[in-house]
């Protein structure tokens, strides 16, 4: 445990509010921003049924946010995990260090993808709520921006400790909010959340500025300074992790934040703030929930933010760029992908652990229900090994267990929303109409035991070519297009034949092939003999239409800072020009 910061220090007294003991342990969730287009010609209707907002009045009991949890079915029971139901019935916005009612008094219902039961209600914010959050952030920045690095680092380490103490509760909260398997929440999402907070807490302690000697009497000092108040909009596929990817470097660099979670997964972040809110000075982090046009647009287009960071789909990313251009502020965008996962013939030279690893690498398209921007949704398999390798991959895919995400043995859970499930289903229909051969799955998942109304899609393998729409458009589900290639040159041509350039995978026993392909593939990250690795010290971001800038790694700090150059002359004599 990190030692408590001494209250005797005047500087810290200004920054850290009187600590209140955390009474309840809660969980955090997030989701992906932006509405995905259907593969069908007609746009899909909104399927979130519970957006009827009731006025905030005494007669309907809406004056105060309820601390009681809603009653849910046994399908959402987490007692076998020794975790109580993590959500209250209602959450307001987290502004200036406390939870507050939305100024309109409006809320919207938040269903769990597992069964589509309502698990809580969340503030339906508008521009006035965004302005209130910006007021708090600007007031806090006056002190937080000048905080010494040691203080910021210690606070962030304390945040990591508290999250670690409540990791199982947070995992259950994320599972309920997003629908992903609890084993992924525990082993990946929450573990990475904790590690990223610690990473950025540590890396700022080791940083140094630079001094350049211009002459024996002139020196150039380069000092990184925070931008100020930043806007951050996070997606629904990794709610807590994506929030951490943005919050941790922003705070480490000395900024204050107004963050909007995705409306599909707005609740888990509120649970996280219940845990860590007391550790931060009021106003340093503000969370405003709501819909894109009502809350996201006012935040992203505000003239009061110094930067916008967005993760979501490419169409929305273009709008964010337009808003930023109007205000002439920097942005970071992490957008879509259609990542190639390339398997060369030498992987079949031996029937060993490495081959088994390669098969698992193929089946990685099912991780997080395929709702990953870097999902290996195009599998390129060399012709000479195609039949034998695909036999193993199909068998492994059919063995994937789809069940209640709260069960530890479940390997693939529920899609994040009804809308997303319908979008994926439209692509399954499209693939069949295009003539793609279904090698596995190809339909919605039919589950029972209280999961009949949940959002489930079967793990699906299509055999097709790279020109098909299912090979070119981002589906964002557990669907992979398998494409044959003859040689290294053709593999590279197919791999780069896409609008996107976020991630790629190369599987081979030949180091020379691995290096050549890794350098030639147009993608921000190329995994070699592995996939879906997201450590804090590995930069993440894309080429082409997959985004601008990078997430994670210490280089991320400079996305939240600007350089102050102090050019100093120590000479006493004039230059002699005038």
């Amino acid at each position: 445990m990190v030692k408590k910061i001494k209250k005797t220090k005047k500087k810290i007294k200004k920054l850290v509010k009187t600590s209140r003991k955390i009474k309840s342990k809660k969980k955090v969730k997030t989701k992906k921003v932006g509405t995905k287009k259907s593969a069908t010609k007609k746009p899909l209707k909104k399927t979130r049924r519970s957006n009827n907002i009731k006025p905030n009045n005494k007669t309907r009991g809406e004056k105060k946010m309820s601390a009681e949890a809603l009653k849910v079915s046994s399908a959402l029971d987490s007692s076998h995990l020794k975790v109580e139901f993590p959500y209250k019935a209602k959450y307001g916005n987290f502004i200036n260090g406390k939870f507050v009612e939305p100024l309109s008094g409006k809320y919207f219902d938040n269903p769990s993808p597992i069964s589509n039961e309502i698990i809580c209600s969340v503030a339906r914010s508008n521009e006035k709520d965004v302005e209130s959050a910006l007021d708090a952030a600007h007031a806090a920045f006056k002190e937080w921006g000048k905080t010494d690095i040691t203080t910021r680092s210690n606070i962030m380490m304390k945040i990591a400790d508290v999250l670690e103490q409540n990791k199982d509760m947070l995992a259950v909260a994320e599972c309920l909010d997003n629908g992903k398997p609890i084993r992924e929440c525990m082993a990946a999402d929450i573990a990475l959340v904790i590690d990223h907070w610690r990473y950025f807490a540590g890396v700022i302690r080791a940083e140094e500025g630079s001094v350049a000697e211009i002459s024996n009497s002139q020196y150039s000092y380069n000092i990184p300074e925070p931008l100020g108040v930043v806007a951050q909009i996070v997606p629904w596929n990794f709610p807590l992790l994506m929030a951490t990817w943005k919050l941790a470097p922003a705070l480490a660099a000395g900024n204050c934040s107004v963050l909007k979670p995705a409306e599909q997964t707005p609740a888990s972040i509120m649970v996280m703030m219940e845990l860590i809110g007391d550790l931060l000075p009021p106003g340093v982090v503000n969370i405003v929930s709501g819909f894109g046009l009502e809350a996201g647009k006012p935040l992203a287009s505000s003239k009061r933010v110094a930067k916008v960071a967005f993760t979501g789909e490419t169409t929305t990313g273009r709008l964010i760029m337009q808003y930023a251009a109007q205000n002439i502020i920097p942005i970071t965008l992490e957008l879509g992908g259609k990542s190639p996962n390339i398997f060369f013939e030498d992987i079949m030279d031996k029937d060993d652990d490495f081959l088994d690893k390669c098969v698992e690498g193929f089946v990685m398209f099912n991780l997080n229900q395929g709702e990953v921007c870097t999902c290996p949704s195009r599998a390129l398999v060399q012709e000479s090994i195609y039949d034998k390798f695909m036999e193993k991959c199909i068998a492994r895919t059919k063995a994937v267990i789809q069940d209640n995400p709260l069960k530890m043995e479940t390997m693939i859970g529920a899609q994040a929303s009804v809308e997303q499930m319908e979008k994926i289903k439209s692509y399954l229909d499209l693939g069949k109409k295009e003539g793609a051969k279904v090698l596995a799955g190809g339909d919605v998942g039919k589950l029972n035991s209280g999961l009949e109304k949940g959002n489930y899609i079967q793990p699906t393998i299509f055999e097709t070519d790279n020109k098909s729409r299912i090979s070119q458009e981002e589906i964002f589900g557990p669907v992979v297009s398998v494409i044959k290639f003859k040689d290294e040159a053709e593999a590279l041509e197919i791999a780069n034949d896409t609008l996107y350039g976020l991630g790629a995978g190369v599987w081979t026993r030949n180091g020379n092939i691995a290096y050549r392909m890794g350098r030639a593939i147009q993608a921000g990250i190329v995994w070699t003999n592995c996939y879906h690795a997201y450590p804090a010290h590995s930069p993440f971001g894309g080429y082409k239409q997959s985004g601008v800038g990078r997430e994670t790694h210490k280089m991320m700090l400079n996305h939240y800072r600007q350089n102050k150059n102090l050019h100093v002359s120590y000479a006493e004599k004039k230059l002699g020009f005038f």
Side-chain angles (χ1 to χ4, degrees), residues 24-55:
S24 61
K25 298 179 179 180
K26 303 272 178 181
K27 305 184 179 181
V28 188
K29 308 240 174 192
T30 42
K31 241 184 173 184
K32 201 157 192 181
V33 177
T35 301
K36 303 283 183 177
K37 292 183 179 179
S38 169
T40 57
K41 292 183 180 179
K42 294 182 180 180
L44 294 169
K45 294 181 180 179
K46 296 288 182 181
T47 52
R48 190 168 284 270
R49 311 185 189 96
S50 307
N51 291 337
N52 295 325
I53 307 303
K54 298 180 176 65

Side-chain angles (χ1 to χ4, degrees), residues 81-260:
L81 299 169
K82 298 181 180 180
V83 175
E84 295 181 0
F85 188 76
Y87 290 114
K88 293 179 181 178
K90 187 183 296 183
Y91 291 92
N93 292 315
F94 185 82
I95 297 176
N96 204 29
K98 59 184 178 181
F99 284 93
V100 296
E101 300 274 354
L103 295 176
S104 67
K106 294 181 178 180
Y107 291 80
F108 66 95
D109 289 339
N110 179 41
S112 171
I114 296 173
S115 61
N116 276 306
E117 297 172 69
I118 304 303
I119 55 175
C120 63
S121 294
V122 182
R124 182 170 179 170
S125 306
N126 57 31
E127 186 173 1
K128 292 181 179 180
D129 299 290
V130 170
E131 288 299 315
S132 177
L134 288 170
D135 288 342
H138 277 281
F141 180 68
K142 295 176 182 178
E143 292 297 330
W144 182 254
K146 297 182 292 185
T147 314
D148 64 89
I149 288 174
T150 301
T151 298
R152 292 203 302 268
S153 177
N154 286 343
I155 290 174
M156 293 176 66
M157 289 293 287
K158 181 66 174 177
I159 287 172
D161 290 340
V162 171
L163 296 179
E164 188 170 47
Q165 292 164 12
N166 295 278
K167 62 182 185 298
D168 289 348
M169 182 270 290
L170 288 168
V172 170
E174 191 81 324
C175 177
L176 289 168
D177 203 25
N178 172 272
K180 66 181 66 187
I182 186 64
R183 70 174 194 166
E184 285 183 22
C185 296
M186 290 180 171
D189 292 52
I190 306 306
L192 286 169
V193 165
I194 296 165
D195 185 59
H196 278 73
W197 280 106
R198 287 189 174 135
Y199 171 79
F200 282 105
V203 77
I204 57 173
R205 294 292 299 272
E207 276 199 312
E208 296 177 352
S210 67
V211 180
E213 182 179 350
I214 309 303
S215 69
N216 60 3
S217 61
Q218 287 190 57
Y219 291 85
S220 175
Y221 299 88
N222 293 296
I223 304 169
E225 294 184 344
L227 294 173
V229 174
V230 299
Q232 301 179 313
I233 302 176
V234 298
W236 45 256
N237 58 339
F238 292 92
L240 289 179
L241 183 57
M242 294 298 99
T244 298
W245 276 20
K246 287 174 171 50
L247 286 173
L251 269 57
N255 300 278
C256 293
S257 170
V258 177
L259 182 146
K260 191 194 96 62

